[in-house]
Amino acid sequence: MTEGRRRRALELGIALLAIAVAVVAAHGAGVGAPFHYDDKVEILLNPNMKGFGHWRELWIYNPFRFLLLCTFAVQYNLHGAEPGPFHVANLVIHGVNALLVAALARRLLDRLGPADLRGTPTTALGGLAAGLLFAVHPLGVEAVT
């Protein structure tokens, strides 16, 4: 493994750990929260959640939220109407998205940042900062919990 690859792997590991800790610290308390807002209608009262064969009905029900409804259906059939596993899945999805934001920010800094900083650990820190900001920003609370 080359020095550059080792450095990238270390930076990725640090980013993964930092973002995971930030997401759990900021949103982990919501795991025990009950369903709220449209969760009651979309999950608990939606007859298409019961069983795995209702993909067409989910599409007809709301094509704009089809992927979301499919994830709800899978979770409902695995865990029932217990909100905890739904919230844990949201935490994982939010963490992955924060990691993707960090990676995107780093690439943008590497390509568009000051020429003397491109490819340096500074761009990795900038990307990590963007990912952490996304991970803990208060606007994400409702979507995550």
Side-chain angles (χ1 to χ4, degrees), residues 31 35 39 43-44 48-52 55 58 67-93 143-144:
V31 170
F35 287 123
D39 293 341
I43 299 169
L44 300 177
N48 299 314
M49 290 293 126
K50 296 160 184 74
F52 285 109
W55 309 118
L58 286 174
L67 183 59
L68 174 69
L69 292 173
C70 287
T71 64
F72 285 168
V74 169
Q75 290 179 58
Y76 186 90
N77 285 285
L78 291 175
H79 308 289
E82 186 65 35
F86 286 84
H87 295 313
V88 170
N90 287 345
L91 283 176
V92 170
I93 291 168
V144 176

Side-chain angles (χ1 to χ4, degrees), residues 71-126:
T71 64
F72 285 168
V74 169
Q75 290 179 58
Y76 186 90
N77 285 285
L78 291 175
H79 308 289
E82 186 65 35
F86 286 84
H87 295 313
V88 170
N90 287 345
L91 283 176
V92 170
I93 291 168
H94 187 65
V96 168
N97 285 333
L99 196 59
L100 291 172
V101 166
L104 176 64
R106 181 194 175 133
R107 282 189 174 249
L108 288 173
L109 288 170
D110 276 341
R111 289 201 170 105
L112 305 174
D116 57 333
L117 294 179
R118 292 180 188 165
T120 67
T122 304
T123 60
L125 286 174

